[in-house]
Amino acid sequence: MRSAQLRRSPLSTLLQDSLTVFWGDWLDLRVRIVQIVSSGLISPLIYILAFGLGLGSSLDTVTKPSAGDNYLQFILPGMVALSSMVISFGGTTFSICGDRLFTKTFEEMLLMPVHPLAVHLGKMMAGILRGLLTASSVILVAIIFTGKVWSFLNPLFLLVLTLNCAVFAGLGVIVGLNVKSLEGVGIYNNFVIVPMSFLGGTFFDASTLPIALKAIVYLLPLTYTTLGMRAAAYLPIQQFPWFVIPVLLVMAIVLSGIGAYQFSHLQD
């Protein structure tokens, strides 16, 4: 038995420690599931009512969207992407900076007999879960409005959604480790998340933009998420833009690597 424990690989130890950190966050999340699920639903629901049903009824008389039967269907995948982005980023950021700045439990967590990378991965997994929980409520709304169950629950759609949560959970870790106050979180939200909400292809087809604007829009990870989820929901598999998966995966790995480095060299 002892020899088997000694032979346990560092990778399995890292995974087990990461799950332990994640479980600690889950114990906190599970008592607030309704709050978490509903917190990211308000803005997408307002956008659905204002743009999808309001503006969309006028647009549908003059043009047909590139995906979906009408403008409401066109923006629904973007609303799922938007909700997962906001909560994955915000929940992870506030979880870490709250531990650092208010409860003062962050240093105690770093003193646990686990590798800092395991703490980082555990926090990221909790952020991904937050995003998926919130996106599930928007997916339910999308199914109710369209009646297209498989469009929003197929594996390709859920894969792109999970990668999007990983990207913004990774970004949330970095911001959470570096902000000095809640005002700092607000600055990142106002100058990064809010502009991306409107420029990430959620309300328009990015491929129709002029070259100069297209170059800017395609620098945003939400653009690739919206593009991939819209195609996964409505277009044939032959028309799916497969490049979005490696792009989002690389972004998630890069942001995770930066966060892991900062965790390992943190002087809090």
Side-chain angles (χ1 to χ4, degrees):
M1 177 68 73
R2 175 175 293 181
S3 61
Q5 292 177 344
L6 291 176
R7 289 196 302 269
R8 192 172 64 171
S9 69
L11 183 60
S12 64
T13 302
L14 179 65
L15 179 59
Q16 183 177 359
D17 291 343
S18 300
L19 291 174
T20 301
V21 175
F22 166 75
W23 184 254
D25 274 30
W26 164 247
L27 293 178
D28 177 57
L29 289 174
R30 68 178 183 178
V31 299
R32 299 184 293 111
I33 286 182
V34 175
Q35 177 184 348
I36 292 171
V37 169
S38 60
S39 61
L41 179 61
I42 302 302
S43 292
L45 194 56
I46 292 174
Y47 295 145
I48 289 170
L49 296 175
F51 292 96
L53 297 178
L55 179 62
S57 59
S58 300
L59 292 176
D60 291 336
T61 62
V62 296
T63 185
K64 181 176 175 58
S66 58
D69 298 330
N70 51 54
Y71 186 69
L72 173 62
Q73 291 189 14
F74 177 81
I75 68 170
L76 284 173
M79 297 302 98
V80 177
L82 174 62
S83 64
S84 64
M85 172 189 73
V86 171
I87 299 302
S88 292
F89 171 79
T92 307
T93 301
F94 281 108
S95 173
I96 294 177
C97 77
D99 290 343
R100 287 178 53 234
L101 303 175
F102 297 100
T103 63
K104 302 296 183 181
T105 59
F106 193 74
E107 291 182 355
E108 296 178 7
M109 182 174 60
L110 293 177
L111 293 175
M112 293 189 303
V114 298
H115 195 280
L117 182 58
V119 181
H120 168 259
L121 291 176
K123 289 293 184 181
M124 271 202 64
M125 287 189 288
I128 292 171
L129 179 61
R130 287 187 181 93
L132 292 175
L133 287 173
T134 302
S136 65
S137 63
V138 185
I139 288 175
L140 178 60
V141 171
I143 292 174
I144 292 173
F145 273 104
T146 64
K148 300 177 181 290
V149 178
W150 181 247
S151 293
F152 297 95
L153 294 179
N154 67 76
L156 200 53
F157 186 93
L158 297 177
L159 172 61
V160 178
L161 172 61
T162 303
L163 288 174
N164 186 62
C165 293
V167 168
F168 288 100
L171 181 60
V173 169
I174 296 171
V175 174
L177 290 175
N178 289 279
V179 293
K180 305 302 181 183
S181 65
L182 286 180
E183 287 78 8
V185 178
I187 291 174
Y188 279 98
N189 188 69
N190 290 334
F191 285 92
V192 178
I193 300 302
V194 172
M196 201 181 304
S197 300
F198 291 94
L199 299 177
T202 49
F203 299 103
F204 56 86
D205 186 352
S207 63
T208 62
L209 294 174
I211 296 297
L213 292 178
K214 189 182 296 185
I216 297 174
V217 167
Y218 276 95
L219 292 175
L220 308 176
L222 189 65
T223 301
Y224 297 95
T225 301
T226 304
L227 182 64
M229 293 173 69
R230 192 171 283 146
Y234 302 125
L235 300 180
I237 190 69
Q238 296 84 356
Q239 298 182 31
F240 182 80
W242 292 101
F243 64 87
V244 304
I245 293 179
V247 167
L248 290 173
L249 183 60
V250 168
M251 288 182 178
I253 292 173
V254 169
L255 291 171
S256 179
I258 295 172
Y261 177 84
Q262 292 189 357
F263 250 107
S264 300
H265 297 78
L266 189 63
Q267 298 292 330
D268 202 48

